Amino acid sequence: MERIEHKTFKDNRGSYTPIPLIWNNLQWDQCSISVNDKEFTFRGLHYQTNPPQTKYIKVVQGSIVDFMIDLETGETDYIVLRDTDSVLIPNDKAHGFLTLEPNTIVVYLVEGEYNPESEHSIIWTTNEVVKEVVVNFAGLHPITISEKDEIGK
């Protein structure tokens, strides 16, 4: 998993980061914003099969541990992303993240139209790498997770 850097302009007001809508031969179909009130909120591990989706993940505020699982090999990768970081998730990977701070905001740009009939998820506790990393970061703190992500699909 490789961290993507975009030029960010900072001054006394804050920062501004332009993200191209057509980039690296990708044209984004959807932009989503994930607002996470609690530290140690887990979202994922999601993927879609028809059409498969490429995702660009940008942390706007806070920090996350971002996970990517190769759907063919099961190889799992992760990276800590802060508010200056982003990452590209290819369409043959499942994706999820764990927030490391309260009030973490993540923006997703998605290539591939959403199709609820072909969305899937992997239960985070069934992947040894994800489970170990989540436990290492969260310790004994409770994990906030949706019922849908808890049971998988």
Side-chain angles (χ1 to χ4, degrees), residues 127-144:
N127 181 291
E128 288 303 316
V129 172
V130 174
K131 184 177 177 179
E132 181 179 327
V133 171
V134 168
V135 169
N136 282 341
F137 275 95
L140 298 176
H141 297 280
I143 304 300
T144 301

Side-chain angles (χ1 to χ4, degrees), residues 68-103:
M68 181 170 67
I69 300 173
D70 187 297
L71 295 172
E72 188 173 314
T73 67
E75 182 180 339
T76 304
D77 201 2
Y78 66 93
I79 189 170
V80 174
L81 300 174
R82 306 210 186 296
D83 63 357
T84 57
D85 298 327
S86 56
V87 68
L88 186 69
I89 309 295
N91 64 15
D92 60 345
K93 311 285 193 254
H95 171 257
F97 66 83
L98 175 73
T99 63
L100 300 178
E101 300 176 45
N103 304 311

